[in-house]
Amino acid sequence: MTYAGFKILHPATGIENCASGFVTHSPSESVPKIAVVQSGDDLEAEWPARRSLGAVPNLIVTAGNILEVYVVRVQEDDARSSQPSADPRSSGGVMDGIRGARLELVCHYRLHGNVESMAILSVGGDDQSKKRDSIVLAFRDAKISVLEYDDAAHGLRTSSMHCFEGPEWRYLKRGRESFDRGPLVKADPLGRCGGVLLYGLQMIILKAAQAGQGLVGEDELAGVGSNVSVRVESSYIIDLRDLDMKHVKDFTFIHGYIEPVMVILQEKEPSWAGRIPWKHSTCMISAISISTALKQHPPLIWSAANLPYDAYKLVPVPPPIGGVLVICANSIHYHSQESVSCALVLNGFYVQSESSSEMLKSNFSVELDAAHAAWLSYDAILTTKTGELLLLTLVYDGRVVQRLDLMKSKASVLTSGIATIGNSFFFLGSRLGDSLLVQYSHGPSIMTSSHAKDEGADIEGDGSLGKPLRRSSSDVLQDVASGEELSLYSTAPNSSESAQKISYAVRDSLINIGPLKDFSYGYRINADLNATGITKQSNYELVCCSGHGKNGAVCVLQQSIRPESITQVELPGCKGIWTVYHKSSRGHTTDPSKITTEDDEYHAYLIISMESRTMVLETADDLGEVTERVDYYVQGSTIAAGNLFGRRRVVQIYGCGARILDGSYMTQELNFVVQNSEPASNSDSFTVSFVSIADPYVLVKMVDGSIQLLVGDPSTCTMSVNVPPIATSNEPISACTLYHDKGPEPWLRKTSTDAWLSSGVAEAVDGNDGLYQFQGDIYCLICYVSGRLDIYEVPSFRCVFSVDNFISGKTHVVDKHIWAPSWNLHKIKNKNLEETTGQQRKEPAQSMRITELAMYRWPSQYSRPFLFAILNDGTMLCYHAYLYEGAEGANKVEDGLSPHDSVDLSGAGTSRLRNLRFLRVAIDTMTREEPSDVVSGPRMTIFTNVGGYQGFFLTGSRPAWVFVSRERLRVHPQRCDGPIVAFTNLHNVNCNHGLIYVTSQGLLKICQLPTAFSYDNYWPVQKVPLKATPHQIAYFAEKNLYPLILSVPVVKPLNQVLSSMIDQDIGYQMDRDKLTDDSDKTYTIDEFEVRIMEPEKSSGRWETRATIPMQNFEHALTLRVVTLLNTTTMENEVLLAIGTAYVQGEDVAARGRVLLYSIGKNTENPDNLVSEVYSKELKGAISALASLQGHLLIASGPKIILHKWTGAELNGVAFYDAPLHVVSMNIVKNFVLLGDIHKSIYFLNWKEQGAQLTMLSKDFGSLDCYATEFLIDGTQLSMVVSDDQKNIQIFYYAPKSPESWKGQKLLSRAEFHAGAHVMKFWRLQMPPNASDRTPASVASEKSNRFALLFCTLDGSIGCVAALDELTFRRLQTLQRKLVDAIPHVCGLNPRSFRQFHSNGKVHRPGPDNMIDCELLSEYEMMSLEEQLDIAHQIGTTRAQILLNLTDLSHGTSFL
């Protein structure tokens, strides 16, 4: 019996819903309340109170089951900030006083359900409102969750849930089981109610609570600083059948009424394209008034009939005009209660009804099916299916709309949604390309004259992306985003009143790799062919077909980073490396402009610590050893080195002392104080074990756990040894670090209650002579063996923040002297309860301790500090600091604390960091060390610029990069060199912002990050724009080539298309006279080609090596690289096989061609890479190809024919009749797995002796297959299939089982709801785990264990991995516990999400043999006590569970 695990490796990126609203801040606070007092000449000033910009709301996006909330950070043009900015998006030209804007992540959630639709329940048009908006999410079949932002927890919380599923609500379905779409949610513009359309004709009204009523008056909201979000008080149902509604297509709430008014678009009698001459005006709209107080049958206010059959969308028109726009495929209509309706015809396909008067026509032809709309002030912006932006102007007089004007803007991405953000930005969300944040501006004089040179860059939309310091994500798509894209200058006058210019500038973009239709698994350019084990996995990359139309691209994805090597040397026995700067004090005063560009300063020395000596190298043009000529301590190993006093001095710490150096000359030597009175012969007790440097302090931790502080004097550049007052206490210290709160406005000061007092006091700034500027505060973080974490001010060592049991890894960390809110008290009670119960399971917790601490704030205007801690079992805790000003009443509760705390309180006055809180952030399991491998030295090395990125590097047995971008952590492992001992960054002439690391084998490598990739994604990604839709891709390993099928949409005149169809098929008769009538109509057809691409070794750019065009109306459906046995020469040939179909409408019989090409065999003409070997036309479309033991298996329509290859032609040897249409074929040995478009899967066997293809077994259910593959676990073979309902099923062949009807029926082994359309499976062998200490027999079973990598249409990548029974049973029990043990976002149940979705068809439930690793990953985010408790309940240990999860993570690391 095979057991499996379902794991998402790369979450979804294709944005399906986007909206804007004041979620994290209300309109009256124009930014989240980080902005406090600021000094006048502050270069990093927060936003001042805006006049023109107004309040900027949040952006909320959903992609599959991912929900993210962003805040828009606007960078204003400031004449004083003449220094080059660190942000690349800032150089896109200045518009309306704004230099740039970027999206910064507030919170990110993986939900147990796909978001069907989203609306923002807002407080409505009041800019001075203190209220915040809520997010309403709808999930299938009828689940609605309302979320609001909670300042105290710095995240979203569910304020209400509404479910209309289950037996008591079954009557709402009226006997139907399948519905063509999920629930649709819309909100009233004034936030009085929301509406949800369920089950086709049931309208749920969500009534919002009025102020001072219902849930709003809770105690927690009584505080001054608190902000109330809009909440839903109750919900009730309106059955639209009672209002005589049928076939509701859309609904919306409109502006300008005292009570909420809903307009519903419905179709009275359904019609379709073939019935248009007789029945074409079938739609109507009805406006009904919703009285939330009376909850009664709603009255009809007004209606409009005779709308076209292709009407599908309603767009409410903002005040003062009011009314509603009805968007149809070929026309736009405006209706309201007061005004005369008006319409605009968009193209020649519009059918005019006889009774209606002549309608206004647009001056260009466009089709508006699949359009999205939003309002920019008083113009509607529409996005079309071809990615064009159109501006629609309503020309009105008073409240009477006279006509509609439509004009073209330039192109953008193909959008799935559009949201206006405030009055200066809009966001284009896309499933098919990268999503864009765009700034817009009305009026002719947009650009400031001083930046006239930038105007060109702004028109291009992406001029900033030439060679920025930090690469923005959109620069991967440079070609797509330049030129025509979003250079949206509308010069055509839109009406006599408003002949104005609207200009646009792309300010930021979110990378999307979906929809992934196919992928191939090939070697990287810089692969190391000698690698073995886990390092071998980083030789491969995924090359995916992604996007559509002009957003089509090839995405190159790598799970792990492989740096580009510049040089390497053997250096056995290396313990640590450091690079230091040296700034001579003379040169510093001459050019004060150098101060700002300290990021570009070159390193001066490289210090390498060996086991018994230290080497010093100069990092000038070449690395030359200068160990003999410098005063560094070189007789023993170095513990740490760094810069002090504004890079004017270098400090080197060794075992028992320190040296201060000015360049190569020593200026001071210090020996550490022996604290205890024992004789100095016991030298081990005061050797240094850990060092933390924060200019001008150095914190030193000794082996015995004591600490010492070196205090620097900036005026003399000397240091003195100081023993901190806390060092005298006997509590042993497990880890410590210094945190430098840099900048003119230190962040932590804002968290102190007397921030306005301390601001600008301890500033040792001597700015006039520019010699040395020390800005900011220094704090010391100390973690004790007991698990307590204290934060002290330096140098006074006054405790300003303290938290007990920090080691347990709670989700929120709060100062223990602050009264904890209810969610914390609950946990404290639980903890006390656990301590009193059974000690047997508490014992592992006693041995846990923190081995390393780090706290850092990366330089950026709005960044907040991160706190990292590594435990001795390899677990890593990551926390993000945030500011929470609790209610004033909270301070008075301090007296109620337990007696032993009151001693601290007397000294704790009001100057503690009272408003500081930490939120735990999830980090990948990949970084987890094996406990046995934990290295003695520090693992974290922080960098601010390596290849334009900032973050930190984790050394050890599982090294990883952690990049910090948009205030989120991006973890990318580095597996190519095995364990890494030491790491540092290097910036000099030959290595620009590069890195040095030392492997455990003793290799020192100098490298750079590959520049072609963007790292602000779940995996590093390189997008190669194609400007065409990619369909399938294959990999030709011998030459490292990728053949892929592309299609380009081409617009042709309709009569040309029809006449060419006549030419191609004589039997298809047609009146040639009719062709002349359609002279102005056009038709879009797809032209196909096969393009052969190759990544270049040197640059990493992708070049086209050859193209194979298809004939007119010929679609390439499949391509495979096949190995065929040439029966003439008896040699194997590797050929490219292509299967095509002629698509000419339903009147022409289907035909297709099989094409065989040889690649790179043409020696006479090397330019001609591919040459056609064979071509043959067959009946039916060629939908799938595969090579079976040297033969070619061809699926031609409903028939499967096996051919042998003679070298000149294909001859059929066997066939099998499939039911309808084969969509996929897979081969293992002589077994064939077929996937049919409607009839599920078939399992065949090929016998060479009798030349027979026989069916062994099949699935008797009906299933619309998308992809199929074999899964191998040891000696067991299973078949995996994905379907149109986003499920994955595993079947097996068991002829001896009685249920299988003597083997005729495939039995179900597992079934699972993936939540996304799986398009392709790829079988890969799982690498054996390091933790496998098993006998050889079991080991061989495990070595033949495979996983299936898959890609989906929403941009996610995952795998289905085979598991052994013991691991599966343990993790399945844990999974069942976690369903109840964790509070799930939106209140969604993971079990119901992962159940097989049959969409109303009869389905017999299969066994539950697949575990959900998405849910299991929550275990690591639980606190230590909860982890031990749950492990105890299921009869295992925490270490065993974590080992299984880590093994699974490493067993599925294929890239």
Side-chain angles (χ1 to χ4, degrees), residues 16 652 1033 1242:
E16 282 152 12
Q652 180 200 16
I1033 190 163
Y1242 286 68

Side-chain angles (χ1 to χ4, degrees), residues 15 137 535 564 599 620 886 915 1072 1164 1189 1384:
I15 290 176
L137 299 176
T535 59
E564 290 172 355
D599 203 33
N915 299 331
R1072 283 188 179 270
E1164 300 92 46
Q1189 295 187 335
H1384 303 293

Side-chain angles (χ1 to χ4, degrees), residues 583 643-651 660-661 667-668 693-697 711-720 771-774:
K583 190 181 275 183
N643 283 97
L644 289 176
F645 311 124
R647 299 186 176 172
R648 286 184 293 163
R649 295 287 185 273
V650 176
V651 60
I660 315 295
L661 299 105
T667 58
Q668 188 184 7
I693 301 172
D695 188 8
Y697 299 98
V711 182
D713 179 356
S715 55
T716 60
C717 292
T718 55
M719 312 224 42
S720 54
L771 273 179
Y772 174 59
Q773 296 193 333
F774 160 55

Side-chain angles (χ1 to χ4, degrees), residues 801-817:
F801 186 90
S802 177
V803 54
D804 283 327
N805 204 11
F806 170 72
I807 198 164
S808 76
K810 294 189 182 66
T811 49
H812 294 85
V813 170
V814 186
D815 185 4
K816 69 177 180 187
H817 296 300

Side-chain angles (χ1 to χ4, degrees), residues 22 27 121-129 133 188-192 230:
F22 291 95
L121 199 56
S122 78
V123 75
D126 181 14
D127 270 357
Q128 296 311 310
S129 168
D133 303 343
D188 175 49
L190 293 178
R192 295 165 293 192
V230 182

